Structure formats: structure tokens, C-alpha cells
Amino acid sequence: MNIIVIGGGASGMMAAIVAAKNGAEVTLMERNDRVGKKLLATGNGRCNYTNENINLSFFHGEDIEFIKTALDGFNRDRTIEFFESIGITPAMEDGGKIYPNSFQASSVLDCLRYEMHRLGVAIRANSFVGEIRKNKDGFIVILKSGERFICDKLILSTGGMAMPVSGSDGNGYNLVKPLGHKINKTTPALVQLKLKWDKLKQINGVKVVGEITLIHKEKEIKSDYGDLLFTDYGISGPPVLQISREAVRLFENGDSPIVRITIISNRSKDEVYGYLLKRFNTLSYKSVEDALVGFINKKMILPILKELDINKEILAGNLEKRDVKRLAELFVKWDFQVIGHKGWGQAQTTAGGILTKDIDPLTLESKLIKGLYITGEILDVDGDCGGYNLQWAWSSGYLAGYNASC
Ligand SMILES: Cc1cc2nc3c(=O)[nH]c(=O)nc-3n(C[C@H](O)[C@H](O)[C@H](O)COP(=O)(O)OP(=O)(O)OC[C@H]3O[C@@H](n4cnc5c(N)ncnc54)[C@H](O)[C@@H]3O)c2cc1C
């Protein structure tokens, strides 16, 4: 059996390894001069390759039941076992995130490359596939350079649209569209959000530990808690990435979602109000500006007072209760309109992709083109932040590699 895998990313390398282990003759085509460019950037260069808690609720797509066989088959335990077998010792961090004990994404790539080499996978770098054709015996794979290759089975692992500099720029969709596959609308996910507020520049770089909630038409859609970072364009940080999929989708549909940020957490508005009254009473001799120093980040004080139209020089003891209430309200419920996102260049994954109803969930073989298998981010499947996207890459790569080589 002669198999070509197109795309040397996470799912393509896994598919190549499994197919080669199963006895197939495997060639991996990668457009870049080396495989695994994106893998090196994962987890801030540390590669969060799976998570202690894996279930369907961490994944998204039009039909999420589609991933069940792949995810149950090559599950978290088998993933950890596989990586241990090639040299990667797991280490767990907050939120069940699992990294290599070296905390180096490069070590994961080194071990995958070593394993491909050991199993005799032929890696063809600088091989940008421009067209695939089906014939009665199998496939013809045509590079942009004009070179042609034939194979019995084909595995398409060209990734989605996130981080186009890594080689995943959505060109893979164009390889399967002529074969009849349809693509669900793609939008960036796990991406920073642009917010509307004329004073954002003044709080650029301020970090708070708090909650962010996405609100649409007064309904709470999703929220998350953790480190939030204000920037000159809006907001970033892990909780922002977690709510970004839905925020981007609403924004791209022409809606104006709101994000509500809690900069003082775990206290009700009334509790914060009561605390501020006490604080301003104790520090009544200070201006309200000085009286807030030590309670919230200093950089935020003036922009917030300005926003609420409160005179910064007024003595804390003389501040009207109505204004103390408004301050308390903003600290627990600060609303911003979402006016965009940082786009594909910053996104970590792709929401949308090849329609999964045209793929057999038990094998990942195309229902339209026999012998064609599809893996990873190019499919209409995406995961939350926390190792879920790589888990999908490994699980889908395993299932496709195994079935293509049977
Ligand atoms: C900055 C960043 C950090 C991330 N961190 C994490 C993390 O810590 N944990 C996690 O779970 N997920 C993370 N992700 C997401 C994860 O990396 C991806 O979901 C995963 O790599 C997708 O694997 P894939 O095999 O589908 O595609 P990719 O890894 O994107 O690989 C596709 C490959 O195909 C090649 N290719 C494309 N078109 C062609 C063609 N026509 N011919 C030949 N080759 C082609 C590309 O060059 C690329 O090498 C992160 C993503 C980014 C951008």
C-alpha cells in the first residue's frame, strides 16, 4: 500500500507514523522546508499536547458527535502512552494542561521526526501540492512545481487558516472543493478581541485576574475566569481566547456583542460598594484618585474616573454615595462593545471547515471520494484552549492513518 500524506503538521505526522507502523509505504508532502512549523509555536513554545479532562464539551463544530470515535479510540491515555513511547514524559499544569516535561515544543517535534525516520516515512519538504486527481487505481498528486506522484490512498492534513505564516492558509480547502467537498464558513477562533473604548491606550498593559462574559441581546453566552490583559486595541489572555469563538461569530454576522469584565472578582456589587464606602471614609482626607491607589491598578484610576465623569480631585470623604455606587458597579460589571478581532494571523484555530457529514466518522474516509482521508483542523472541528486542538489532531491523524493503511 502506497500512501501520500499532504501536510506535515500535527495530524499529518501522526497519520504518517501510524500508517507506516501498519506496514504502508508512506510519503509525507510538506510545502515548507521542514515539517511541524506550527507545532513549534504551540503552548507559547511549550506545546500543550493534551489535557487531563477530555470530553465532547470542549469541542465545537456543526456535528460534534462526529469526533466521538476518533476521540474515544485514540484518547488522552493512548496519546500520553504514545508520546511516552517515543520519548516524551508528560507534565501537568493548571487546568489539566499536559506538556512535555522538557516544556519544549521542539522536543515533541524532534521525537515525531525521529519516529517517522525510524519507520521509513519519506519526508518531501518544499513540496507544495496544488491539485489532487482521482483515477481508477488511486490518486495523482500534482505539485505547484508541476511534479506528479501517484498513490493508492491519500490523507489530507493541510490544516485550517490560523497562523498562515506556518503554511496553513486554507489552500487545502481548494484541493477538495473540485472533488465535491463543501466548506462550512470559517472564522478565527482562540483569538484576541478588539473593543470599543476611547481610553484603551491609557490602560495598555494592565493585567487583572477576573471574569469575562460574552453577552448578546442581554443573554449571557459564555464566560471564563483568569488572567486578562488590556491592550491598546482591546483585550487578550486565556479567558478571552475561550470566549472568542462565539464573539467572533456574532461579530462576523453583523451583530454587536458585548464583553462584560469583572475587575474585582468574587464580590457582589453591594459588597464592593460597602467596602468602598468604608475605604473612602478611612481615607477621607485623600483625593478620590489617591484613595483608589492600592485597590485597583494605578493606570486604570484616571481613565475610569474620567469615564464616570467623577472629579479626580474631590476628597474621598466628600464623594457622593451615587458616585461610589457607580464605581462599584463598574468594578464588577464593566461592559465593552466588541468591534473586531485580531484575525487569522493571531488566531490559534479555525472554526468551520470541511463539512463532516461527507466524512465517515468511523474511518475519516471521504464518503464522496473513496481512498481519501481527511484529518485535523481542516475539518469542521475545533477545540477550546487547553490542548484540545492538538488532541483532535492526534486522534484524527491516528484514525485516518490506521484505516488508510488497512
Ligand atoms: C500560536 C498557536 C499556538 C497553539 N497552541 C496550541 C496548544 O498549545 N495546544 C493545542 O492543543 N493546540 C494549539 N494550537 C492549535 C494547533 O496547533 C492546531 O490545531 C494543530 O496544529 C492543527 O494540526 P493540523 O495537522 O490539522 O494542521 P497544521 O498543524 O496547521 O499543519 C498543516 C501542515 O500542512 C502544510 N500544508 C498546507 N497546505 C499544503 C499543501 N498544499 N501542500 C503541502 N503542505 C501543505 C502546512 O505547511 C502545515 O505544515 C496552537 C495554534 C497556534 C497558531
Side-chain angles (χ1 to χ4, degrees):
M1 173 85 61
N2 162 4
I3 297 177
I4 289 182
V5 179
I6 308 178
S11 70
M13 287 190 280
M14 177 59 86
I17 287 170
V18 174
K21 235 184 211 167
N22 218 12
E25 192 185 306
V26 182
T27 304
L28 179 66
M29 306 268 186
E30 168 55 51
R31 68 183 281 188
N32 292 325
D33 57 3
R34 59 196 167 101
V35 294
K37 202 167 168 191
K38 187 186 282 182
L39 196 59
L40 292 176
T42 58
N44 282 327
R46 305 182 332 149
C47 189
N48 171 202
Y49 66 96
T50 184
N51 196 293
E52 171 74 357
N53 309 302
I54 301 270
N55 62 56
L56 290 191
S57 70
F58 297 104
F59 296 87
H60 316 277
E62 192 172 272
D63 171 20
I64 213 55
E65 287 290 319
F66 167 80
I67 70 170
K68 205 169 173 333
T69 301
L71 213 57
D72 287 351
F74 198 72
N75 56 20
R76 176 209 54 204
D77 290 348
R78 286 190 70 188
T79 301
I80 292 172
E81 208 175 280
F82 164 79
F83 278 102
E84 281 204 285
S85 78
I86 61 167
I88 298 298
T89 304
M92 206 192 313
E93 288 223 325
D94 287 357
K97 292 179 182 167
I98 295 173
Y99 296 85
N101 202 46
S102 59
F103 289 100
Q104 287 177 306
S106 60
S107 57
V108 176
L109 182 56
D110 284 350
C111 291
L112 287 169
R113 288 179 59 184
Y114 192 103
E115 184 67 354
M116 286 194 288
H117 183 70
R118 187 180 77 85
L119 294 166
V121 173
I123 298 178
R124 273 196 65 105
N126 299 311
S127 298
F128 193 167
V129 176
E131 191 184 341
I132 51 187
R133 286 187 200 155
K134 173 88 178 114
N135 63 19
K136 69 174 177 25
D137 300 322
F139 294 87
I140 305 171
V141 173
I142 306 170
L143 301 192
K144 295 257 181 195
S145 65
E147 263 183 289
R148 286 167 179 244
F149 299 84
I150 53 166
C151 60
D152 305 319
K153 302 262 182 85
L154 192 59
I155 302 178
L156 185 73
S157 310
T158 49
M161 312 260 293
M163 198 184 171
V165 292
S166 71
S168 320
D169 57 4
N171 80 84
Y173 304 126
N174 298 330
L175 293 175
V176 286
K177 273 190 206 162
L179 302 175
H181 278 284
K182 301 233 160 17
I183 316 297
N184 259 344
K185 184 182 156 103
T186 54
T187 46
L190 304 186
V191 67
Q192 303 86 344
L193 298 176
K194 293 185 181 172
L195 305 179
K196 185 173 175 182
W197 193 41
D198 59 358
K199 300 172 189 67
L200 277 172
K201 276 203 171 76
Q202 296 171 51
I203 60 168
N204 184 20
V206 170
K207 258 190 192 162
V208 294
V209 181
E211 190 173 50
I212 183 164
T213 306
L214 177 68
I215 296 171
H216 181 51
K217 295 188 174 152
E218 287 168 24
K219 225 176 106 194
E220 292 189 4
I221 311 287
K222 193 169 184 179
S223 61
D224 204 64
Y225 177 86
D227 290 342
L228 297 165
L229 175 69
F230 285 98
T231 65
D232 56 356
Y233 61 80
I235 189 129
S236 76
V240 178
L241 303 189
Q242 297 291 32
I243 65 152
S244 64
R245 183 187 202 275
E246 289 78 6
V248 170
R249 291 234 139 177
L250 287 166
F251 173 76
E252 293 284 332
N253 282 340
D255 288 312
S256 305
I258 299 288
V259 290
R260 175 164 294 162
I261 293 167
T262 304
I263 59 169
I264 302 295
S265 297
N266 306 322
R267 288 191 226 172
S268 70
K269 186 181 79 184
D270 288 346
E271 283 169 333
V272 176
Y273 172 65
Y275 172 78
L276 284 177
L277 279 180
K278 247 200 309 194
R279 181 181 180 96
F280 290 159
N281 190 32
T282 313
L283 304 172
S284 59
Y285 55 92
K286 286 187 176 181
S287 70
V288 64
E289 179 188 1
D290 288 330
L292 283 170
V293 173
F295 181 56
I296 58 168
N297 186 299
K298 238 163 124 173
K299 254 178 134 175
M300 291 179 130
I301 297 173
L302 278 182
I304 286 177
L305 290 176
K306 236 185 178 160
E307 179 68 11
L308 297 179
D309 213 9
I310 295 173
N311 180 355
K312 64 180 173 137
E313 276 155 20
I314 194 164
L315 285 180
N318 292 341
L319 196 62
E320 289 196 28
K321 281 189 172 164
R322 186 178 59 95
D323 287 334
V324 180
K325 221 172 226 160
R326 289 166 66 227
L327 272 171
E329 186 153 309
L330 183 140
F331 291 157
V332 297
K333 225 168 123 183
W334 195 0
D335 287 355
F336 298 87
Q337 191 187 334
V338 176
I339 54 162
H341 51 80
K342 290 296 274 180
W344 292 113
Q346 298 292 318
Q348 290 192 9
T349 195
T350 310
I354 296 176
L355 242 66
T356 51
K357 76 172 180 52
D358 294 328
I359 313 292
D360 181 349
L362 303 180
T363 59
L364 298 189
E365 185 176 18
S366 162
K367 290 180 186 168
L368 310 179
I369 309 291
K370 229 180 134 28
L372 170 67
Y373 295 77
I374 307 183
T375 69
E377 197 176 312
I378 194 174
L379 289 164
D380 180 9
V381 176
D382 58 287
D384 286 349
C385 196
Y388 300 101
N389 286 295
L390 282 175
Q391 180 63 62
W392 168 239
W394 314 131
S395 298
S396 60
Y398 180 90
L399 191 60
Y402 179 78
N403 284 289
S405 55
C406 277

